[in-house]
Each structure stands twice: as structure tokens, then as C-alpha cells.
Amino acid sequence: QQQVKQSPQSLIVQKGGISIINCAYENTAFDYFPWYQQFPGKGPALLIAIRPDVSEKKEGRFTISFNKSAKQFSLHIMDSQPGDSATYFCAASMSYNTDKLIFGTGTRLQVFP
Amino acid sequence: DTAVSQTPKYLVTQMGNDKSIKCEQNLGHDTMYWYKQDSKKFLKIMFSYNNKELIINETVPNRFSPKSPDKAHLNLHINSLELGDSAVYFCASSQSLAGGDTGELFFGEGSRLTVL
């Protein structure tokens, strides 16, 4: 019940296309859902995050869509660029235990020119 | 000026040896972590310290011992290294917020440990 399932494992997108990464969770006590971006040789860095009181959050070309009833959330990258090529991790935590993020298994995104 | 720095970046050692990884953060955060990332990129929390006090200790072998001399430093010592310990170890920090929430995690660049 503590797992966060992420798909796809890898994704290849043409420059200018839309990249979509999906995550699903079981624990209804989760109420904080961040996405982290990791470039090769670097540590993960927070990209965007959402709480379940909203169904969508947009920051530039990055949008999180959240479906509380389905217990799913997804990251959409519009107008994907080669510089977006990285590994993306969804994560979830409970507000009374936010020190402990549960990470998804990661999605390796490659954007080709 | 690096926010979360860890040393060494690469570590190659023989089975059975003992090694340490050091981490320092200059963000003024009160919580620090160790994460392990395996060859499949899976990220798993190992330990969490808040103001030098151990908060989270996941199911990690006793061979792994964290030490926090002050809230800006969190070191990881590993005894009797095994082949399965090969991974990238990430240090991270965050700041506790009002209401019990925790701010975003700031990760170091990782320490790649290879056990031969």
C-alpha cells in the first residue's frame, strides 16, 4: 500500500511533442505529490508538486494532472525539448510523515531533435 | 556555492572493507537524509535526521551507521562492504515547515560506491 507505481519505464519523444508520465498510488492518506527531475550524474531536483485539493497545476511547460478518485496523477511536458531529457520520478507522502517520500520507479525521457 | 555537497563522488573498494561518505549542507535546513539509488535508478530512503536526532531508520543492515555531528552534517559509515552495497548514495536536506510539513528535498550530486 506504500508503493507508487510509475509508467512508462522509458519514453522517446520528438522535439515539440508532448511527454506524458503516469503514476498511481494505493494509500489514500497520501496528500503531497511532487515530481523530481534527475539529469545524468546529478541528484534529483524538485520540478513541480501538487496537493489533492486541486486537479491540475501548471508551471511553464510542465503540468501535473491529479485524479483523486482514481488515485492517479500524471506529468505532462508540452513542447518537449532535448534539454528535458532526464529521468523523472513521481513521489508521494503523507502530511503527518512528510519526511518520508515514497518514490516511483522513474521514467527515462529522451527527446530527439 | 554548492548547497548539499557530499564526498567522495566516486568510491571503489573491496568486499569486507569499511568506508565513509560525508555530507554537508549550507542551506540552514534542519533535516537531512540518506537515499540509496540502485542500478535500476530506484530511490529508497535509508535514514532521516532532524536536528541531529534520528527520525527514520528504514530496514537497512546494521552495517550502515549514520552520524550527525551537527545539523549541517550527516555522514554515512558502512562496515564490511558487500557486493550488493554497490549503488549511488544521495544525501539530501529539507526544512521543516509550519504544521508539520516538510519542504522540498535538496539532493547532493551523489556518491557512486562500487564494491569489487
Side-chain angles (χ1 to χ4, degrees), chain B residues 17-82:
Chain B
N17 284 350
D18 303 339
K19 290 294 176 186
S20 292
I21 307 171
K22 295 186 176 182
C23 178
E24 176 182 4
Q25 55 95 3
N26 62 8
L27 296 167
H29 290 167
D30 58 5
T31 306
M32 295 185 72
Y33 312 78
W34 279 109
Y35 278 83
K36 179 180 180 180
Q37 186 171 51
D38 62 23
S39 58
K40 294 184 178 179
K41 296 280 195 181
F42 187 61
L43 265 172
K44 193 172 189 312
I45 190 168
M46 300 173 69
F47 302 102
S48 164
Y49 267 78
N50 181 272
N51 278 319
K52 303 194 297 173
E53 183 184 338
L54 181 64
I55 302 299
I56 293 172
N57 181 353
E58 288 299 294
T59 308
V60 176
N62 289 338
R63 300 181 294 103
F64 290 79
S65 53
K67 279 194 172 56
S68 181
D70 56 62
K71 75 173 193 176
H73 295 84
L74 180 62
N75 304 323
L76 182 65
H77 188 75
I78 316 170
N79 291 326
S80 304
L81 278 156
E82 300 177 357

Side-chain angles (χ1 to χ4, degrees), chain A residues 36 38 42 44 89 98-99, chain B residues 33 37 41 102 105 107 109:
Chain A
Y36 279 77
Q38 183 180 24
K42 302 292 183 183
F89 294 92
T98 52
D99 282 352
Chain B
Y33 312 78
Q37 186 171 51
K41 296 280 195 181
T102 302
L105 287 173
F107 285 86
E109 294 202 334

Side-chain angles (χ1 to χ4, degrees), chain A residues 3-7 20-26 30 32-35 48-50 55 63-68 70-76 89-93 102-104:
Chain A
Q3 282 187 327
V4 178
K5 295 181 181 177
Q6 183 172 348
S7 63
I20 302 174
I21 304 170
N22 300 300
C23 285
Y25 62 98
E26 301 258 335
F30 286 151
Y32 173 64
F33 304 92
W35 286 87
I48 187 173
I50 197 168
S55 60
T63 300
I64 300 179
S65 297
F66 184 78
N67 185 330
K68 189 173 181 178
K71 292 185 283 186
Q72 294 175 348
F73 58 111
S74 59
L75 176 70
H76 295 235
F89 294 92
C90 62
S93 68
I102 308 295
F103 281 90

Side-chain angles (χ1 to χ4, degrees), chain A residues 10-30:
Chain A
S10 64
L11 185 58
I12 299 175
V13 172
Q14 204 77 18
K15 179 182 173 182
I18 302 173
S19 305
I20 302 174
I21 304 170
N22 300 300
C23 285
Y25 62 98
E26 301 258 335
N27 191 339
T28 54
F30 286 151

